[in-house]
Amino acid sequence: MIEWLNNIDIELMVFLNSFNNEYFDHVFWMISGKLTWIPLYLTVIAILFRKNLKQAIYLLLLTAVLILLADQISSGIIKPLVHRLRPSHTPAIEEILHYVNGYRGGPFGFVSSHAANTVAFAGFFSLVFGNRTFTVISILWALLVSYSRIYLGVHFPGDILGGLAVGVFAAFVTYFIYRKFSRHKRLDGCCEQPFSGSDINVATAVLLANTGIIFIISAFL
């Protein structure tokens, strides 16, 4: 059964990675870059500080816990235990895959930390903001970032699915902590105020603009 799933994963990897051209090389290289999304992160931080200081600090601390949880489960626990080679280091297919800028990543790829971290961020703030539009856009963003890892040849689809599961787990665990302790007497009034629709719309617009700029810039590279 495991061998059968692995073979399907390999075939799907080769198929999905085959759709490439110079333009999308630039697009997905930037989409995969962590620094690319600084405008989004700064916007979310600014929105947090538009509420009261306690709420902002509390959510920033939980965001650190969120990313630490997603990243450590994926990179600190699962990868060292599973030791599954990345497609870029898998002898059967490494020479036929498409890579960008010579990047092949480290030896092990299950699960994808990119997928885990972006899904954790999108999921947690979707729950915190409680806005349908932001939820849809941020989830699509997380999936786009996740797919970029397949395009770049450094993660199997199975690595991505594993990362998505870790990200969802981290998001719900962190949100549970958020709701649990925001009701604690010492935090009364800290975190019960809903975020305004206009603030959330700004975050959504920045995410869309950030993504759009990538596609536009890539046309001139």
Side-chain angles (χ1 to χ4, degrees):
M1 181 66 175
I2 294 179
E3 185 177 351
W4 177 73
L5 290 173
N6 186 59
N7 288 335
I8 290 178
D9 208 17
I10 290 175
E11 290 178 8
L12 190 57
M13 175 68 198
V14 173
F15 174 73
L16 293 175
N17 180 258
S18 66
F19 296 97
N20 54 74
N21 58 44
E22 186 178 354
Y23 171 70
F24 283 114
D25 284 356
H26 296 305
V27 169
F28 287 109
W29 179 258
M30 285 193 287
I31 284 176
S32 189
K34 295 179 180 179
L35 297 181
T36 302
W37 305 105
I38 286 178
L40 169 65
Y41 304 142
L42 291 179
T43 300
V44 170
I45 291 172
I47 289 173
L48 298 185
F49 277 95
R50 279 175 59 83
K51 311 300 286 184
N52 62 64
L53 184 61
K54 279 185 179 180
Q55 184 173 19
I57 294 174
Y58 182 45
L59 278 168
L60 283 178
L61 288 174
L62 283 179
T63 302
V65 171
L66 171 77
I67 300 304
L68 183 65
L69 186 62
D71 194 64
Q72 285 304 304
I73 290 176
S74 57
S75 294
I77 298 177
I78 298 179
K79 280 181 183 175
L81 284 176
V82 176
H83 276 196
R84 188 194 189 193
L85 293 174
R86 291 178 187 265
S88 53
H89 292 275
T90 300
I93 60 171
E94 62 179 326
E95 297 303 324
I96 64 173
L97 295 177
H98 176 74
Y99 306 104
V100 178
N101 296 328
Y103 172 67
R104 297 199 179 195
F108 305 121
F110 186 86
V111 297
S112 168
S113 298
H114 271 73
N117 293 341
T118 52
V119 168
F121 183 89
F124 177 65
F125 280 100
S126 292
L127 291 168
V128 170
F129 289 160
N131 180 279
R132 183 178 299 177
T133 302
F134 179 83
T135 297
V136 171
I137 298 300
S138 64
I139 289 176
L140 290 175
W141 162 71
L143 293 176
L144 187 65
V145 173
S146 298
Y147 170 74
S148 74
R149 307 302 288 169
I150 297 174
Y151 183 95
L152 296 178
V154 295
H155 278 297
F156 286 107
D159 300 342
I160 300 301
L161 291 177
L164 298 181
V166 171
V168 169
F169 172 77
F172 276 103
V173 167
T174 309
Y175 185 70
F176 173 80
I177 296 172
Y178 169 71
R179 298 304 302 169
K180 181 79 172 177
F181 286 92
S182 67
R183 294 192 179 99
H184 195 281
K185 290 182 179 180
R186 289 178 297 177
L187 293 172
D188 274 351
C190 162
C191 308
E192 296 299 323
Q193 302 174 24
F195 288 87
S196 70
S198 59
D199 282 344
I200 299 172
N201 288 339
V202 168
T204 305
V206 168
L207 178 51
L208 289 172
N210 204 160
T211 306
I213 288 171
I214 291 172
F215 281 87
I216 293 171
I217 291 177
S218 296
F220 297 95
L221 296 176

